[in-house]
Amino acid sequence: MTNNNNYDKQAFEEAFDEVHMKFILNLPDEELASSDRIFFQLEQAWWFYDDFICDANTATAKKLPRFKHMKPFSLAMFNFSPLLQPMLDEFDTMYAEFSKYKRSISTYGTILLNAEGTKIALCRNWKGKSWTLPGGKVNQNESGKDAAARETYEETGFDPDSEKGLCFEWRERRERGEIVEELLLLNNNNDDYFQEDEEELLPWKSLQDGDKLVYTEKDTNKRRTCYVCRGVPENFPFEPVARKEVAEVAFYDFNSLPKNNYGLMPFIGQLKRWIKRDNKKRGIKNREESRAGSRSKNQTPSKQHNETSSPT
């Protein structure tokens, strides 16, 4: 809890009562018997308390205590809730088990590439300096691929499946036969990637199982899965939908990735191989091949070559 000894105790109890009713009171008995389910609910409760109650522009909200981390919030709710109080003596053990379990949960996300396959979109974490790929945990009854699309939309505002936000709007306009000027800008006079009159409605495809890259962390056995989505406009107006998770989204060239990153480098090797295969399918030269071809064209013939080639 923040150091705010002057908080309004009555307002605090009313706020906690609202959160308790919304997230804890109606939990089924089988979920109350699972520490993991309890703490996942408390995580949602903490976000709700901070984002929608404490951030409310009211005089009462300004008098409420803030919790910088989930653990002190959870402890406060254990003390407040008649359902959780009987487990108060076990709180530290339960929270430690939950933290260990959470670190091992598989995550799903996306690798958003520009049309040329030379740049990758990364997210900078909230109030931090580290950059990573968009992604997160699977919700109940949700597939990994659906989780990847949802998490990407929540963290970037870009929906690879084009079912939400601006991507959905662009898809609808294309289905009506309209010209989407933002997508024309993507082409940049390069016919290799996308043209408005092609059969494809958008320059990217929805997430495909064949475009899945996976690696497993050695220390935790945590499995990370990312679906490659190529053709994201570099001028896309990224804007996180979820509150207080991502501060900024930006494209980075593969040759100048930010040094302060996490969960990214294990994908780079297999991603470059994926791009090579995809370029071959599209009939596009890889960056290295293009550079080699350019150097060959611009190279001045050597004297030895001229002498060899000259007729006698």
Side-chain angles (χ1 to χ4, degrees):
M1 187 185 298
T2 54
N3 294 324
N4 182 3
N5 297 322
N6 298 319
Y7 71 87
D8 188 322
K9 292 185 178 180
Q10 182 178 346
F12 172 65
E13 288 182 1
E14 290 175 357
F16 253 46
D17 189 51
E18 178 183 350
V19 174
H20 183 263
M21 288 182 64
K22 187 176 180 69
F23 293 94
I24 304 298
L25 187 61
N26 296 313
L27 275 180
D29 290 340
E30 58 269 22
E31 295 204 12
L32 280 172
S34 166
S35 60
D36 294 336
R37 294 311 310 162
I38 289 173
F39 282 105
F40 276 126
Q41 282 296 109
L42 287 172
E43 185 175 51
Q44 296 289 326
W46 172 46
W47 290 340
F48 179 83
Y49 174 81
D50 194 69
D51 292 350
F52 296 102
I53 296 181
C54 291
D55 281 356
N57 189 22
T58 64
T60 301
K62 295 176 181 178
K63 297 178 182 178
L64 292 172
R66 294 270 192 171
F67 296 86
K68 290 184 178 181
H69 305 287
M70 176 185 164
K71 186 175 182 179
F73 172 86
S74 300
L75 181 58
M77 186 58 76
F78 262 68
N79 278 287
F80 179 84
S81 169
L83 294 175
L84 301 179
Q85 279 178 358
M87 296 178 275
L88 191 57
D89 290 342
E90 304 170 51
F91 175 82
D92 288 332
T93 301
M94 291 172 66
Y95 190 83
E97 290 175 352
F98 167 73
S99 298
K100 182 179 179 180
Y101 170 69
K102 190 177 178 183
R103 286 194 297 270
S104 69
I105 296 175
S106 297
T107 60
Y108 295 84
T110 60
I111 296 173
L112 304 180
L113 300 178
N114 65 342
E116 292 87 344
T118 57
K119 295 181 181 180
I120 184 171
L122 299 176
C123 303
R124 181 169 62 82
N125 62 314
W126 184 256
K127 292 186 178 179
K129 297 180 180 180
S130 296
W131 294 81
T132 191
L133 299 164
K137 301 185 297 293
V138 176
N139 287 339
Q140 281 184 306
N141 303 317
E142 184 180 43
S143 71
K145 190 161 57 176
D146 288 343
R150 174 185 54 76
E151 287 283 349
T152 299
Y153 175 68
E154 290 177 358
E155 295 183 3
T156 69
F158 177 86
D159 178 17
D161 287 344
S162 307
E163 295 177 351
K164 304 183 187 76
L166 185 58
C167 298
F168 174 71
E169 179 187 324
W170 283 353
R171 191 190 77 187
E172 280 200 321
R173 288 169 60 188
R174 290 285 285 128
E175 287 174 344
R176 293 195 298 265
E178 297 179 16
I179 293 176
V180 181
E181 293 183 1
E182 296 93 331
L183 297 180
L184 289 176
L185 290 173
L186 168 67
N187 193 34
N188 289 329
N189 298 319
N190 192 329
D191 294 333
D192 286 335
Y193 305 113
F194 175 74
Q195 293 185 17
E196 185 69 23
D197 60 354
E198 289 181 354
E199 291 183 5
E200 295 287 344
L201 292 176
L202 297 168
W204 65 88
K205 296 185 297 183
S206 59
L207 302 185
Q208 307 290 317
D209 286 328
D211 298 328
K212 179 171 63 176
L213 306 181
V214 182
Y215 88 91
T216 303
E217 295 181 354
K218 292 181 179 179
D219 54 341
T220 63
N221 286 325
K222 182 173 186 172
R223 184 181 172 93
R224 295 185 180 272
T225 301
C226 277
Y227 295 83
V228 183
C229 179
R230 181 174 184 171
V232 180
E234 291 183 47
N235 60 349
F236 187 86
F238 292 117
E239 187 173 352
V241 176
R243 294 166 61 92
K244 299 181 181 179
E245 289 189 25
V246 172
E248 179 185 3
V249 184
F251 269 106
Y252 278 89
D253 190 284
F254 279 106
N255 292 330
S256 56
L257 294 173
K259 292 181 180 179
N260 197 351
N261 68 75
Y262 65 95
L264 171 62
M265 301 316 293
F267 282 110
I268 294 300
Q270 52 182 320
L271 175 59
K272 288 183 176 180
R273 292 191 292 273
W274 182 95
I275 293 171
K276 273 191 173 183
R277 293 193 301 269
D278 195 57
N279 282 349
K280 190 174 182 180
K281 290 179 187 176
R282 297 170 182 242
I284 302 170
K285 288 184 178 180
N286 292 307
R287 177 186 279 187
E288 293 80 3
E289 294 171 343
S290 298
R291 286 176 177 170
S294 177
R295 285 196 297 269
S296 178
K297 281 183 180 179
N298 297 328
Q299 187 176 2
T300 302
S302 66
K303 183 177 179 180
Q304 181 181 356
H305 176 78
N306 287 339
E307 290 174 350
T308 305
S309 304
S310 299
T312 55

